[in-house]
Amino acid sequence: MENRYGKLASWVYHLDKPIGRSFGDIEFYRDRLQNYSGPILEPAVGNGRVFIPLLEAGFQLEGFDASEDMLDYCRRECAARQLSPSLTCQTFSDFQATTTFDAIIMPAGSFQLVTQAKAAQDLLRKFHDLLAPGGSLILDIDHMKGLLEPSGAMRRWQVNERELLTLTSSSPEVDYANQTSFSCLRYEHWKDGALLTTEVDFFNLRWWGINELCLALKEAGFDNIEISGGYQHGKPPSNEDLIFSFEAQRRPSTNS
């Protein structure tokens, strides 16, 4: 089951995580990409929270997402800034690219949206094959503690004086054997105290061990794997870090 990010989910995401809002990731990726002048791919680009600031910094990015509703926000925000990148609606399992990339980036734990182990391994191989020799894959995973904590709380966003959006999350159902969590998310749009629209999404995530993901990257053909904690390059991961970042390289070509 894929996370679908429908109209209300995308609206809430855009209000909660507007373009340019950084958790340290925008600065981290901008720094790590500074030596790449060629094409860069962001899968699961979402509303463009990270994508657009990197475009504005001069990087040559293109992206895709499985949600047309999320892409609508990204396209509108790009147009407002006179940016016209390539953005397509594709899923992880069926996406196609016509070029090779200097780098592929997956900020904010997007890689964990792939919940089947084999599908995740296949995706890593596809990323490897899409990179130019010497190119890098940079991706984040969340600390597993954050994925397993009980929830159930309601959050709300005041759209204007008359309209309100709410999100109620169930506590995650955890499948420890398959390293996945499943939550039910209920989005509601209210106006003048009356409920206008309800949307229920099912949210699935997979968690990874640090060594496990290193082995998966090596199995996919990657080399020179670096792991950083808390969006501080070179800082060894620790229990206090909420995010771990992996940077892995496709081997440079060798002249015979």
Side-chain angles (χ1 to χ4, degrees), residues 51-227:
F51 183 79
I52 290 173
L54 293 179
L55 281 174
E56 292 178 315
F59 295 104
Q60 184 184 335
L61 267 75
E62 61 182 78
F64 71 84
D65 201 279
S67 169
E68 279 286 9
D69 293 299
M70 290 289 269
L71 285 171
D72 283 345
Y73 284 105
C74 190
R75 291 185 180 114
R76 288 203 295 267
E77 295 286 352
C78 284
R81 295 165 173 78
Q82 289 78 52
L83 301 169
S84 53
S86 170
L87 290 166
T88 56
C89 187
Q90 301 188 72
T91 66
F92 290 128
S93 58
D94 65 12
F95 86 91
Q96 302 291 326
T98 57
T99 186
T100 56
F101 299 94
D102 277 10
I104 298 173
I105 63 171
M106 294 191 77
S110 297
F111 181 63
Q112 292 167 271
L113 296 169
V114 185
T115 56
Q116 298 296 320
K118 183 180 183 306
Q121 189 68 60
D122 290 344
L123 185 62
L124 291 177
R125 291 192 190 98
K126 183 182 283 191
F127 286 159
H128 175 273
D129 293 344
L130 283 173
L131 285 168
S136 291
L137 169 65
I138 313 174
L139 60 82
D140 303 333
I141 59 170
D142 293 303
H143 193 304
M144 70 174 66
K145 178 183 176 183
L147 303 178
L148 307 180
E149 288 179 339
S151 182
M154 186 184 78
R155 299 181 64 198
R156 65 180 188 171
W157 294 262
Q158 196 74 43
V159 179
N160 53 47
E161 291 183 358
R162 302 176 61 191
E163 293 181 274
L164 179 74
L165 292 172
T166 60
L167 165 60
T168 305
S169 318
S170 70
S171 290
E173 297 178 14
V174 179
D175 182 340
Y176 290 98
N178 292 300
Q179 299 176 214
T180 59
S181 65
F182 169 88
S183 301
C184 181
L185 309 180
R186 184 182 183 88
Y187 299 89
E188 294 176 325
H189 179 201
W190 303 80
K191 185 174 182 180
D192 297 329
L195 180 60
L196 297 182
T197 314
T198 299
E199 179 180 290
V200 175
D201 280 357
F202 301 120
F203 194 61
N204 302 269
L205 289 172
R206 186 181 199 278
W207 74 85
W208 290 80
I210 291 176
N211 290 334
E212 177 191 20
L213 185 49
C214 282
L215 291 172
L217 288 164
K218 290 177 182 177
E219 174 67 23
F222 286 100
D223 205 357
N224 297 329
I225 300 168
E226 290 186 280
I227 311 159

